[in-house]
């Protein structure tokens, strides 16, 4: 067997797989995933519950995000200060964040302090009390963040792009809400949202690090296995977003800015769609590889019109977006827009070259082990396996899956999603 072949097999066997990832569904519906790594004395946890901004009303948009941010502000047993004192005393961390579909959590500690970390996770998930004083402090922080957002060209371009592309759909709404909706949220709203939305059903948690998987399973089951919430409701059913019938362009004026942020794009695949990997490789060639792919080369390197230029593919539980982003001098917005649209037209007309695809495939395969070097990286990978039903052998199969993508598959997926005559164009700046 040649040295290269041996090296490739060794790489694949070192990736998470069915032989070393342990999965168990507790009786209350929580899925636990564990993998040991004794090369580091630490342990990382990652996971989510099915509670996100899909539950938010338009009048109180940002409720899920507000609730997630308030979980660490006080529980039945701990004040805000005592929670953080316990974590800091052992060099541990724990945090929460909310998205459209889920509220996520992440934590890290020395392996000897896993029990403490899981205890605090269970406590903050199950028994927060949302103290009045802390809720008001948090409200002021959220409002300050929204005031900063309103003056940030990147944030406002993102918000405007989503409003155009997903008009009438939940994805059009910012998860952190608006000043008036955050002002409208009461402590009672937080308590009610927690009561009906937080529960063990379909919760997922990954534990990775210097702990035997069975011990990690037992420790997780001890603190979360008895959690029940008969009031927990299912996430609302989400409709399909409508495709644009024509190009829609919108410019949000923010005075006094020396840079305008530009986003041009369209709908993209779900993470679970069969053509996702072809789209991801195509996106790498379009605006990621090297100094920003074709878009970076055309707009930044050759024309000198942008401070940065790249493309991005956002794919999750629901249909995502495929977009090109650039930061430009306000005087160059139209020129940069024309160049980006030109590159999109070339992409859907001619596809990608053989060398471009092989280079991107090598990059995808080569960077995978780097993303899995840390416990937190592996924990995040296990969560993605479960969230998108990829299978425990996904990362073992990944190199072959990447290599199997053809030039014709990339061209087909590009033509499926990108119509240069039906684009969302969002600009924020002077």
């Amino acid at each position: 067997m040649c040295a290269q072949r041996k090296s490739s097999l060794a790489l694949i066997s070192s990736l998470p797989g069915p032989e070393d990832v342990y999965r168990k569904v507790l009786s209350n519906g929580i899925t636990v995933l564990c993998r040991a790594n004794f090369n580091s004395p630490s342990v990382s946890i990652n996971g989510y519950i099915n509670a996100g901004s899909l539950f938010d009303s338009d009048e109180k948009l940002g409720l899920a995000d507000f609730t997630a941010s308030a979980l660490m502000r006080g529980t039945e047993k701990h004040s805000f200060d005592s929670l953080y004192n316990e974590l800091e005393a052992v060099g541990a961390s724990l945090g929460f964040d909310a998205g459209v579909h889920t509220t996520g959590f992440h934590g890290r500690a020395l392996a000897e302090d896993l029990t403490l970390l899981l205890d605090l996770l269970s406590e903050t998930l199950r028994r927060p009390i949302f103290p009045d004083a802390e809720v008001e402090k948090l409200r002021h922080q959220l409002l300050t963040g929204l005031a900063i957002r309103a003056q940030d060209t990147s944030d406002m371009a993102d918000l405007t792009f989503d409003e155009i592309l997903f008009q009438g759909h939940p994805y059009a709404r910012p998860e952190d809400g608006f000043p008036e909706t955050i002002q409208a949220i009461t402590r009672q709203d937080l308590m009610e949202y927690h009561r009906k939305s937080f529960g063990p059903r379909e919760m997922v948690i990954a534990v990775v690090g210097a702990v035997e998987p069975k011990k990690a399973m037992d420790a997780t089951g001890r603190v979360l296995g008895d959690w029940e919430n008969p009031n927990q409701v299912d996430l609302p059913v989400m409709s399909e977003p409508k495709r644009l019938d024509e190009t829609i362009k919108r410019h949000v004026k923010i005075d006094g800015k020396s840079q305008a942020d530009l986003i041009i794009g369209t709908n993209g695949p779900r993470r679970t769609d069969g053509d996702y990997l072809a789209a991801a490789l195509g996106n790498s060639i379009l605006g990621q590889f090297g100094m920003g792919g074709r878009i970076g080369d055309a707009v930044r390197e050759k024309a000198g019109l942008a401070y940065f230029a790249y493309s991005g593919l956002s794919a999750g539980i629901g249909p995502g977006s495929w977009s090109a982003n650039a930061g430009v001098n306000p005087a160059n917005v139209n020129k940069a827009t024309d160049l980006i649209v030109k590159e999109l037209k070339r992409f859907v007309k001619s596809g990608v070259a053989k060398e471009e695809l092989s280079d991107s495939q090598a990059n995808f395969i080569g960077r995978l082990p780097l993303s899995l070097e840390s416990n937190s990286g592996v924990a995040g990978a296990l969560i993605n396996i479960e969230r998108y039903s990829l299978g425990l052998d996904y990362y073992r199969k990944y190199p072959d899956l990447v290599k199997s993508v053809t030039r014709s598959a990339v061209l087909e997926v590009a033509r499926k999603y990108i119509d240069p005559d039906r684009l969302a164009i969002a600009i924020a700046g002077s």
Side-chain angles (χ1 to χ4, degrees), residues 16-308:
E19 300 86 359
D20 60 10
V21 175
Y22 297 82
R23 180 182 184 274
K24 180 179 180 180
V25 180
L26 305 182
S27 60
N28 59 357
I30 298 176
T31 299
V32 186
L33 299 155
C34 299
R35 187 178 191 247
N37 173 28
F38 289 96
N39 293 321
S40 165
S42 67
V43 62
S44 290
I45 63 171
N46 197 325
Y48 63 86
I49 60 171
N50 275 356
S53 66
L54 278 177
F55 284 121
D56 292 357
S57 67
D58 288 341
E59 295 75 22
K60 296 190 177 181
L61 184 61
L63 177 57
D65 182 66
F66 203 149
T67 305
S69 300
L71 294 175
M72 297 283 291
R73 295 286 172 145
T75 68
E76 293 175 4
K77 289 176 61 178
H78 287 88
S79 67
F80 171 74
D81 288 338
S82 63
L83 267 173
Y84 281 95
N85 286 341
E86 286 226 31
L87 290 166
E88 290 174 5
V90 296
S93 63
L94 178 64
F96 297 88
D97 56 81
V100 176
H101 300 273
T102 60
T103 291
F105 54 84
H106 45 87
R108 185 174 183 272
L110 291 173
E112 62 197 60
D113 297 312
L114 175 60
T115 298
L116 169 66
L117 187 62
L118 289 173
D119 281 340
L120 294 180
L121 171 67
S122 175
E123 186 179 329
T124 48
L125 277 175
R126 300 169 65 175
R127 299 182 181 88
I129 60 172
F130 308 110
D132 284 321
E134 294 297 336
V135 167
E136 293 312 310
K137 288 179 187 176
L138 179 57
R139 188 193 311 278
H140 288 303
Q141 292 174 13
L142 296 175
L143 290 171
T144 299
L146 293 178
I148 294 171
R149 183 186 75 181
Q151 295 299 313
D152 187 292
T153 56
S154 176
D155 287 347
M156 292 308 295
D158 282 335
L159 190 153
T160 305
F161 177 75
D162 287 345
E163 287 177 346
I164 297 171
L165 188 63
F166 297 110
Q167 183 177 2
H169 190 271
Y171 285 178
R173 307 187 307 170
E175 292 138 44
D176 47 357
F178 298 101
E180 62 272 19
T181 64
I182 296 301
Q183 289 282 24
I185 293 170
T186 66
R187 176 176 180 267
Q188 186 62 39
D189 292 325
L190 300 175
M191 295 173 65
E192 179 61 19
Y193 178 84
H194 179 268
R195 185 188 70 82
K196 74 173 186 178
S197 304
F198 277 55
R201 191 168 64 249
E202 297 186 54
M203 174 180 165
V204 180
I205 179 171
V207 183
V208 177
V211 58
E212 292 292 348
K214 186 178 185 307
K215 290 184 178 179
M217 290 273 189
D218 290 345
T220 305
R222 178 183 60 80
V223 298
L224 290 167
D226 64 341
W227 189 14
E228 298 290 345
N229 182 8
N231 299 310
Q232 185 182 359
V233 298
D234 293 328
L235 281 171
V237 176
M238 188 176 65
S239 62
E240 283 287 313
K242 295 179 181 179
R243 300 293 296 268
L244 295 177
D245 295 324
E246 60 183 352
T247 291
I248 298 176
K249 184 177 181 179
R250 193 175 301 162
H251 190 154
V252 177
K253 297 288 287 185
I254 306 176
D255 293 333
K257 298 296 181 180
S258 60
Q259 174 179 308
D261 273 70
L262 167 66
I263 304 178
I264 302 173
T266 184
N267 300 90
R270 291 175 169 82
R271 179 60 183 84
T272 53
D273 287 344
D275 54 13
Y276 166 77
L277 202 49
L281 284 161
N283 177 66
S284 175
I285 295 164
L286 179 63
Q288 289 282 329
F289 196 74
M291 296 295 290
R294 291 182 179 181
I295 287 174
D297 184 58
V299 182
R300 183 176 183 271
E301 300 302 312
K302 292 179 179 177
L305 292 176
Y307 308 117
F308 63 83

Side-chain angles (χ1 to χ4, degrees), residues 340-389:
I340 290 172
V341 173
K342 181 180 178 181
E343 286 302 316
L344 294 177
K345 288 179 177 178
R346 180 164 80 96
F347 187 59
V348 298
K349 179 182 179 181
S350 305
V352 300
K354 181 179 180 181
E355 185 177 357
E356 286 180 311
L357 180 57
S358 62
D359 285 347
S360 284
Q361 287 170 322
N363 175 261
F364 271 46
I365 294 168
R367 74 190 189 199
L368 176 63
L370 297 177
S371 71
L372 300 174
E373 281 189 332
S374 67
N375 290 334
S376 60
V378 174
L382 298 186
I383 290 300
N384 283 335
I385 283 176
E386 187 67 28
R387 189 193 303 266
Y388 303 118
S389 302

